[in-house]
Amino acid sequence: MIVMKFGGSSVANRKQIEKVLAIVRGRAARTPLVVSSAHKGMTDALLSGAREAARGVYAPERVIERQTAIARELGCDDALLAPFFEEISALYRGLSLVRELSLRSLDYAASFGERMAVRVIADFFTRQGFPAQAFDVWDLGFLTDAAFGSARPLPGYEAAMQRAVRERVPAGVVPIVTGFVGKTEAGDITTVGRNGSDLTATLVGAAIAAEEVEIWSDTDGVMTADPSVVKKARSISEMRFDEAAELAYFGSRVLHPSTLVPAMQKNIPVRVLNTNRPEHPGTVIRESAPASELPATSIAYKEGQLAVTMLSTRMFGAAGFLGEAFQALGRHEVVVDMIATSEVSVSFTTDRREPLERALSDLERLGEVRVEAGKTLMVVVGRKLAEQAGLGAAILQAVADAGVNVEMVSYGMKSISLTMLVADKDVGAAAAVLHERLFERA
């Protein structure tokens, strides 16, 4: 089997879903299992409606009308989604009465997008002469823990999925499966995180020992830079898992950061393709790939960072200071993206303000703490960073030539990524010059 995941823009409307049908039909001989996101914008609309309801504004008709329009465009019977509309209305009514919105309720609200999308897509495929059946992923054995908003499958889910797919998917029928969501053993609906359908696809692919996982979006694979920032960005034909994982974590818009872990563990190739240009070869990501002649693989960036500097003479020649600092960060669930230290200071970045604010009082007991907002992590990824003398210096010089100040640098021994901290406002200038030096002159 192969797993084919289609994102929200790929299933946005009838025109796009017709493209999806043609693509999946063309893969019929490879026994596809389709993982689908919600229609573009639907998850945001569902969450917005839930938040409004918790403030006392009861307006389920906004999301119902939006989903109804897509279903009717596909020729679906109104009765197909009627139970979901009743469920959404009941949920919003309850939220408007109790005026409270928990992580559990948010996951429940968000889940409707995928659950409705797979029903209308499967119905449309079948009426077009291509038999398909909708499945909630938990009905195929995908049970998770209760970490609402970032759930992960329970141990043993792989065997459960293998058995369920074998027993519940009829021969000759393409399963259309919900991405992004899961369910606990107690029956509570969870999500694996925003934009998490990619992760669902690779988790399912790992479970059923898929030949390959295809991620279909609206870009020509993984690019050398964000094409909305660098107009001359180009598609990368092949890359290794570790390179793609670095790019995903540091802001590449193509893949969810956790997507590649299940594929890496089972050595399943992941291919990133464009629904609007299915003839384009896209990018294949695998354990090994030919070395590129270019100096680097890609540039990515992660905006909205908070830069924190701790100053203390207690650090000088003392053991245990960093341990105390990071115990405080761990207690308050502060996720650190980048770190640099000197004899009397330690600097790090994080992208979530609330946990950091909880940790500040503990950190201030250790020394003076300064926090600056409006920062971006810019990362250059490539295998030659650890091999080619002067490449790191050339990268820093390129950023300087763009008139951009690098406020912090992180590069691990023999690492495939060099990370720089710059101001949010300087991302465009730095990315353009870096791309020109690394990819256009080469």
Side-chain angles (χ1 to χ4, degrees):
M1 297 183 75
I2 63 169
V3 173
M4 306 175 70
K5 178 265 175 177
F6 291 90
S9 61
S10 296
V11 297
N13 50 42
R14 177 168 180 144
K15 180 180 179 182
Q16 291 300 107
I17 293 170
E18 285 176 342
K19 295 177 185 178
V20 171
L21 172 58
I23 291 167
V24 177
R25 198 191 293 268
R27 302 285 203 279
R30 299 177 71 188
T31 318
L33 180 152
V34 174
V35 172
S36 178
S37 295
H39 308 298
K40 186 176 182 180
M42 184 57 68
T43 302
D44 285 338
L46 285 160
L47 291 173
S48 176
R51 293 187 180 103
E52 287 185 351
R55 293 193 297 267
V57 180
Y58 175 70
E61 65 278 359
R62 297 175 187 173
V63 292
I64 291 173
E65 288 170 2
R66 184 171 187 156
Q67 181 65 63
T68 298
I70 297 171
R72 287 178 176 170
E73 186 183 22
L74 291 167
C76 301
D77 191 294
D78 286 352
L80 179 65
L81 297 181
F84 293 98
F85 295 158
E86 291 175 6
E87 199 174 343
I88 292 170
S89 298
L91 171 62
Y92 284 7
R93 172 63 68 190
L95 293 174
S96 70
L97 291 173
V98 299
R99 302 290 184 95
E100 186 177 331
L101 189 59
S102 64
L103 291 176
R104 179 186 280 104
S105 298
L106 281 170
D107 276 7
Y108 182 25
S111 74
F112 287 101
E114 270 75 4
R115 293 160 67 195
M116 294 187 294
V118 298
R119 265 80 180 175
V120 298
I121 292 169
D123 181 70
F124 178 72
F125 277 22
T126 300
R127 285 184 287 103
Q128 297 299 309
F130 190 66
Q133 183 175 336
F135 289 91
D136 292 318
V137 70
W138 52 77
D139 290 329
L140 294 179
F142 192 86
L143 297 180
T144 74
D145 57 30
F148 297 101
S150 57
R152 291 296 179 267
L154 297 175
Y157 89 97
E158 294 175 339
M161 289 207 75
Q162 290 173 13
R163 183 170 58 254
V165 169
R166 184 172 60 249
E167 295 175 354
R168 298 182 184 178
V169 178
V173 171
V174 173
I176 313 294
V177 181
T178 53
F180 174 56
V181 297
K183 184 179 279 189
T184 68
E185 289 181 304
D188 292 320
I189 291 176
T190 60
T191 68
V192 299
R194 285 306 305 266
N195 304 311
S197 292
D198 291 351
L199 176 56
T200 302
T202 53
L203 286 167
V204 170
I208 65 173
E211 169 194 345
E212 186 173 89
V213 174
E214 295 181 346
I215 306 291
W216 291 84
S217 65
D218 54 4
T219 62
D220 292 333
V222 182
M223 310 292 283
T224 51
D226 182 350
S228 68
V229 173
V230 179
K231 300 305 179 186
K232 293 185 179 180
R234 63 184 76 164
S235 176
I236 303 164
S237 59
E238 293 185 75
M239 62 195 310
R240 295 189 321 198
F241 281 132
D242 57 352
E243 295 172 304
E246 288 277 355
L247 290 170
Y249 182 77
F250 282 105
S252 172
R253 273 59 174 166
V254 178
L255 293 170
H256 182 281
S258 301
T259 295
L260 295 170
V261 174
M264 292 168 72
Q265 291 172 341
K266 295 298 179 72
N267 196 19
I268 299 172
V270 175
R271 195 176 297 269
V272 183
L273 298 154
N274 189 343
T275 307
N276 300 314
R277 296 214 303 159
E279 72 283 356
H280 193 282
T283 301
V284 61
I285 305 166
R286 60 181 100 214
E287 188 173 33
S288 61
S292 171
E293 295 181 1
L294 296 169
T297 302
S298 185
I299 304 162
Y301 60 93
K302 192 174 183 181
E303 299 168 290
Q305 292 281 310
L306 298 164
V308 183
T309 301
M310 296 177 58
L311 300 163
S312 176
T313 54
R314 284 180 53 194
M315 289 182 64
F316 190 79
F321 180 88
L322 287 178
E324 290 183 57
F326 280 92
Q327 282 179 1
L329 295 174
R331 281 195 301 274
H332 297 285
E333 300 181 324
V334 177
V335 176
V336 173
D337 290 323
M338 179 184 185
I339 183 170
T341 65
S342 73
E343 285 292 346
V344 293
S345 72
V346 55
S347 298
F348 64 88
T349 70
T350 184
D351 62 357
R352 295 176 59 205
R353 182 175 290 276
E354 184 182 0
L356 176 62
E357 289 179 344
R358 293 198 304 266
L360 282 179
S361 60
D362 287 351
L363 296 177
E364 286 167 347
R365 294 191 188 101
L366 300 174
E368 180 185 350
V369 180
R370 300 173 186 170
V371 180
E372 296 181 55
K375 307 298 181 184
T376 289
L377 293 179
M378 179 159 284
V379 61
V380 176
V381 173
R383 283 179 257 175
K384 292 186 179 179
L385 282 167
E387 306 165 357
Q388 186 173 319
L391 182 53
I395 290 169
L396 292 171
Q397 185 61 56
V399 177
D401 290 345
V404 174
N405 180 40
V406 175
E407 301 180 43
M408 189 169 152
V409 176
S410 178
Y411 177 71
M413 186 174 179
K414 297 183 179 179
S415 175
I416 62 167
S417 65
L418 188 152
T419 307
M420 299 161 283
L421 186 71
V422 302
D424 284 347
K425 63 181 179 62
D426 292 329
V427 169
V433 173
L434 276 172
H435 194 274
E436 190 267 338
R437 299 282 174 88
L438 296 172
F439 301 103
E440 298 167 37
R441 287 190 187 180

